[in-house]
Structures are given as structure tokens and as C-alpha cells.
Amino acid sequence: MLGRLRAAAPVPSEHDAFALDERIAAHYAAVESDPAPDQLPDALVEAMEAAMRASRADVWRATADEWPAQLAGRLARHRVSRLLLDPASAEGAALAAALPADIEALPFRAPLEEWKDELFATVDAGFTVARSGIAATGTLVLAPDAGTPRTVSLVPPLHVALVYADTLHATLFDAARAERWRDGMPANLVLASGPSKTSDIQQTLAFGAHGPRWMWVVIVTPGRQP
């Protein structure tokens, strides 16, 4: 029977894939607001902020010059003492330089198995730079790599993320299309929309059970904020 099903299955073609893409595009075009959010950068930022706040994330805007000092100050007030970041990235280096002396900047220096106990017990926060963002759902698109593996955004109780306003997309479809995922689907993208949350059978909501208890998001925008 399995052989007959396989023999009867239609052979996909490039035309079929193109037709499916057109149908998906037509669907999203039909439900877009008027005017389309991706034509209004400010509207994308506002939608991203609103959606992330609805998911209990702490979100604010800052310019490229402002955010390192602002974030360093907030980390100090939150009593963070050890921060996981990638010092080889431009953003990681900028934040490390702005940190007060009592906050230690830690690279992800070894395989997880070699320092798991230390990581889980002593690291207060992890810093990541999002590849992009999805405004409709308030979602960060993270691309873990050797300098910032998935552990950085998953294990510490505070996840701090930076996302640039010009990388925001209106929907997941817009992100996949603009970043041309079809030409080479990324092997490991993580979608994060707020702090970890879960509920028991009595619907009691709890934060931090399976990941960070808090999420801070800095949206980097051009110009000076009012």
C-alpha cells in the first residue's frame, strides 16, 4: 500500500512551489492593515513594543550612542554581578566597556558541560543581539552561534536583547521573504517573545520555570529620543 501511495504522489515542481508562494503572499496581502506596517518604520517599532510588553518584556528605545550606558545603568540597579556576552561582537564590546567595575563580563568560554554548575549558579544575565524582529507578535529572531549559543538566552534569569529598528518585519512571512530563508533556511533560529512562562492545571501563571524570568529588549533607533 505504501508503494502505491508513493507511486501516486504528485512530483513537486518549481511551478508548484512558486504557486504556493504566490498564494501565501496573497493571503498576507489580504490581511495587512492599511497602510502596510512595513512601509512605516515608526509603526513597526510601536507594534513591536506593544506586543512585547503584552508578553511581560521590559522594552525601551535608545540610539546607538545611548544604549550601552543606559543598559549598564539598568544592570547595576538590577544588581547583576556576572553578565554573559560575546566580547568579539561590536555590541558586546561596547556594553563591556560601559559596565561598572562590579559587573563582570563573561564570554561563553567553554563547552556547557565543563562549567554548567558555575553557569547555572552564578551568572545573572545573558546579552544577545537579535538577527531581526517580528512586530506583529513581538518576537525576536535570534541566530545562536559559537560566541552566543542558545544557552545565553535560555539559562540566566535575565535575558537582555538588542534589536535594531531597521531589522524589524511586520510578520513572520515578511521576515522569511525579506531575509530570503527559502534560498537557504537557517539551521538554528530561535524565536523569543518574552520571559519564560508556564501555568499549572489550575491556570496559575509562573515566570522563569523553563527559562529566563525577565526579558529586557533595547530597540536601537536612529536619532536622539525625545
Side-chain angles (χ1 to χ4, degrees), residues 93-216:
L95 179 55
L99 292 175
D102 56 349
I103 298 181
E104 181 184 5
L106 291 171
F108 202 91
R109 59 176 181 259
L112 176 61
E113 294 76 12
E114 296 182 12
W115 65 310
K116 181 169 62 175
D117 292 343
E118 177 188 355
L119 177 61
F120 276 77
T122 70
V123 175
D124 305 302
F127 174 71
T128 65
V129 180
R131 168 184 172 132
S132 55
I134 301 169
T137 54
T139 301
L140 298 174
V141 181
L142 306 174
D145 55 22
T148 313
R150 175 69 175 111
T151 307
V152 176
S153 62
L154 180 64
V155 171
L158 169 61
H159 174 204
V160 181
L162 196 74
V163 63
Y164 289 91
D166 60 6
T167 68
L168 297 182
H169 305 287
T171 66
L172 177 62
F173 170 72
D174 293 311
R177 180 174 56 180
E179 297 177 14
R180 303 189 66 85
W181 292 4
R182 179 183 173 187
D183 294 345
M185 182 63 186
N188 185 21
L189 289 185
V190 175
L191 304 182
S193 298
S196 169
K197 48 190 173 290
T198 188
S199 61
D200 58 19
I201 195 170
Q202 295 182 346
Q203 299 183 348
T204 301
L205 189 61
F207 290 88
H210 306 295
R213 182 178 178 83
W214 303 282
M215 175 185 276
W216 298 354

